[in-house]
């Protein structure tokens, strides 16, 4: 019978709505536990200090398994290539590699112009680093190579250290392009070596967490500003203008003003070429969006535009007839390796570190997005090493610093790419173009490359919509975005990034100094405590004040915490303590005067009986007038004990209580500090908590600490007294019990 009743009850509960079933289950819970101090909790739970593990000891252990693990960790291709499935993955990787190579050819040529280098060096930077990443990288879907933001950062370095004004020839003031390009190539390759050294070094010391200081709003604001700089830098190719090389703060503003000033000097043929190429690229992209479901791979609009523009330029003669600037001679084959110039290291160190951090931040953010989407893990430290080796070895072979491209990575994923083999395939296609087909593009107009760059900026320029979304979601993040954008536009890419990082870190500090302070009350018929300012039905427990801060307490906000606590309690604690001390001093002075007068009477009196009578009267007067002398001595000793050890003081004599002194008493007898937000403890925090304990005990209020984490509890209990609880509710219940004692 009991079994059938139980099964019937289960069936009935199964038929109930989910919310009602959850409500029934909630009614069965009853939470109650005694209040404990730290010593009682450690005794009950048999606390022992956790054994500390020293990870550095494992670094010096030698074994075959550890050597194999290190080899697979730093050369990941040995781990995944033997398990490569030819049937499942090869076709997708081949198609993805071909699609990426078709995109990488025009982008390599165009982004070399951004870097202030001859276009062929963009092809070199699309081959060597990509193949190196195939060996050392852990992300299966990112496409390493030239990237607009990195290229414009390199261009700001080359144009500032090797401006056109340094290579003017004779009286006609023409620029010696061969000499200029040679110096800029040396600058860019040396910069790439330094960037690689920074990245490899940071990766080996496991410094991959450095990108955590680059928040998403910061990165998006920075890349948006960089895209604006890329757009402005291409205007000289769109209009066919000769502009002065500028760098440093406000250089972008001066460039825009110079473009506006020289617009009447625009070459009409160049403008028409750029417009036609831009319209063609936009139409192809729109067509790709429309036919995405039906196409096995996107239509290579950039490649078709480059081939068509090169043919038209060669057939019509755009350069001799219309003055359209073209790419020029592209040497066939690879260049021999060259050692970097050590003399340039000192002038390039700051730029190199900035480019290293930005390049890695872009690569790891994209890598983690694809890893989460496809269910594998990306090692941030190994990614830092892989990207560093790509830049280091690429710099030896005359490449400029690279990162990964979002557009090419998306194409690689959508075209069916499964592993790093797709990157290797794309690098081999680029190698074929460098060796055999590169010279065919010597008549390619630079305006077409500029149009391709501007059209591809659409994704980054669309990040301006972040302003609207961040305004609705988080205005502090919007402030970071705007400061990063404005600083990068006005102060250039390197200084702008430094200003953005410093501002975001300072903003974190400021936000911890301005937390939300709350007085908690109990929600009716529950054991839940919420802010009484937000919940109108929440009621404070009679005689108990519960105080909570939304941020941890440390040296920067400890004083603000104490001030807010005293303000929210509704009692002028400092004034009350000063009045108490003042009245105690008056009583002590009165007692001293009484003693002196008694001593004079004793000296003037004669006979043993008189002496006995005086002594008796002294004792009577001392006991009748107030026991303030003992009270003062006892209180002083207790205050010293609390300040030194934080132990709970003894009860003050009746003569020194607020009631006996004629002072108003607080409307609560217990204060609960909810320390759930406390993540660490420093000496200033402990000192402030000691002062809080001392001040509130002076006005006869007991202080309790609740919800403090064990790590912080161990640091602070050595210097503080008081009761501990795992939650505000339990401590508040124990404190409330004082009402009935």
């Amino acid at each position: 019978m009991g079994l059938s009743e139980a099964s019937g009850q289960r069936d009935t509960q199964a038929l109930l709505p989910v919310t009602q079933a959850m409500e029934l289950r909630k009614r069965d819970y009853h939470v109650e536990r005694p209040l404990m101090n730290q010593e009682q909790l450690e005794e009950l739970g048999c606390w022992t200090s956790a054994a500390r593990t020293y990870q550095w000891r494992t670094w010096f252990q030698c074994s075959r398994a550890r050597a194999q693990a290190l080899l697979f960790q730093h050369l990941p291709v040995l781990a995944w290539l033997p398990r490569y499935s030819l049937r499942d993955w090869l076709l997708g990787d081949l198609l993805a590699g071909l699609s990426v190579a078709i995109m990488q050819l025009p982008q390599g040529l165009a982004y070399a112009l951004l870097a202030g280098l001859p276009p062929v060096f963009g092809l070199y930077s699309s081959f060597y680093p990509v193949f190196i990443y195939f060996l050392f990288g852990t992300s299966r879907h990112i496409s390493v190579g030239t990237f607009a933001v990195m290229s414009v950062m390199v261009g700001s370095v080359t144009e500032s250290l090797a401006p056109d004004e340094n290579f003017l020839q004779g009286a006609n003031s023409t620029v010696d392009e061969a000499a200029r390009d040679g110096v800029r190539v040396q600058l860019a390759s040396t910069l790439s070596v330094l960037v690689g050294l920074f990245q490899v070094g940071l990766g080996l010391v496991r410094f991959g967490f450095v990108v955590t200081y680059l928040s998403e709003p910061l990165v998006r604001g920075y890349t948006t500003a960089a895209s604006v700089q890329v757009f402005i830098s291409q205007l000289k190719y769109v209009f066919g203008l000769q502009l002065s090389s500028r760098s440093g703060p406000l250089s972008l503003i001066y460039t825009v003003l110079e473009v506006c000033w020289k617009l009447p000097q625009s070459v009409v043929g160049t403008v028409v070429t750029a417009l036609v190429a831009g319209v063609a690229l936009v139409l192809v992209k729109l067509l790709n969006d429309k036919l995405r479901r039906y196409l096995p791979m996107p239509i290579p609009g950039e490649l078709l535009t480059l081939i068509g523009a090169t043919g038209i330029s060669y057939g019509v003669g755009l350069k001799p007839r219309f003055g359209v600037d073209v790419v020029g001679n592209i040497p066939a084959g690879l260049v021999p390796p060259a050692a970097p110039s050590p003399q340039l290291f000192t002038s390039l160190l700051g730029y190199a570190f900035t480019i290293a951090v930005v390049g890695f931040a872009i690569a790891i953010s994209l890598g983690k997005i694809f890893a989460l989407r496809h269910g594998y893990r990306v090692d941030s430290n190994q990614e830092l090493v892989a990207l560093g080796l790509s830049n280091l070895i690429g710099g030896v072979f005359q490449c400029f610093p690279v990162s990964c491209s979002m557009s090419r990575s998306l194409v690689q994923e959508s075209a069916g790419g499964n592993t790093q083999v797709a990157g290797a395939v794309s690098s081999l296609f680029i190698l074929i173009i460098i060796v055999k087909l590169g010279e065919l593009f010597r008549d390619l107009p630079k305006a077409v490359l500029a149009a391709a760059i501007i059209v591809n900026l659409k994704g980054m320029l669309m990040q301006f919509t972040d302003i609207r979304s961040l305004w609705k979601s988080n205005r502090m993040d919007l402030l970071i975005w705007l400061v990063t954008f404005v600083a990068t536009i006005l102060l250039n890419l390197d200084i702008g990034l430094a200003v953005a990082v410093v501002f975001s870190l300072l903003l974190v500090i400021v936000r911890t100094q301005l937390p939300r302070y709350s007085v908690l009350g109990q929600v009716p018929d529950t054991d839940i405590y919420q802010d009484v300012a937000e919940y109108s039905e929440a009621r404070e427990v009679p005689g108990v004040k519960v105080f909570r801060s939304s941020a941890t307490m440390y040296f920067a906000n400890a004083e603000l915490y104490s001030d807010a606590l005293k303000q929210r309690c509704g009692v002028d604690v400092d004034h009350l303590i000063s009045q108490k001390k003042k009245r105690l001093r008056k009583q002590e002075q009165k007692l001293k005067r009484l003693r002196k007068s008694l001593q004079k009477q004793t000296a003037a009196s004669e006979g043993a009986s008189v002496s006995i009578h005086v002594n008796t009267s002294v004792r009577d007067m001392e006991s009748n007038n107030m026991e303030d002398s003992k009270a003062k001595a006892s209180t002083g000793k207790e205050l010293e004990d609390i300040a030194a050890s934080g132990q709970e003081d003894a009860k003050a004599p009746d003569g020194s209580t607020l009631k006996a002194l004629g002072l108003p008493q607080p409307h609560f007898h217990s204060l609960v500090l909810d320390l759930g937000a406390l993540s660490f403890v420093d000496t200033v925090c402990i000192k402030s908590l000691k002062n809080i304990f001392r001040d509130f005990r002076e006005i006869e209020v007991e202080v309790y600490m609740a919800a403090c984490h064990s790590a912080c509890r161990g640091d602070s209990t050595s210097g503080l007294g008081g009761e501990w609880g795992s939650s505000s509710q339990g401590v508040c219940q124990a404190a409330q019990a004082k009402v009935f004692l």
Side-chain angles (χ1 to χ4, degrees), residues 169-250:
Q169 291 179 330
N172 55 3
S173 299
T174 58
V175 177
D176 186 354
E177 294 185 358
R180 181 200 63 187
D181 291 344
V183 174
R184 288 184 176 180
V185 166
Q186 189 178 30
L187 281 169
S189 60
T190 304
L191 180 64
S192 183
V193 170
L194 281 176
V195 169
L197 288 175
F198 273 122
Q199 290 175 334
V200 171
L202 294 176
L204 290 178
V205 298
R206 312 190 69 80
F207 209 64
F209 69 90
V210 69
V211 294
T212 58
Y213 296 106
L214 303 179
S215 64
E216 184 181 1
L218 188 150
V219 172
R220 292 178 70 86
Y222 184 78
T223 53
T224 306
S227 66
V228 173
Q229 293 218 2
V230 171
F231 178 80
I232 299 300
S233 68
Q234 295 307 294
L235 293 180
K236 64 179 181 181
Y237 298 112
V238 171
F239 294 104
L241 302 175
Q242 295 293 329
L243 302 179
S244 304
S245 298
R246 288 187 173 87
S247 61
L250 300 180

Side-chain angles (χ1 to χ4, degrees), residues 711-732:
C712 303
R713 195 181 303 166
D715 292 339
S716 57
T717 48
S718 59
L720 291 171
E723 300 295 330
W724 289 91
S726 62
S727 65
S728 301
Q729 293 90 333
V731 179
C732 191

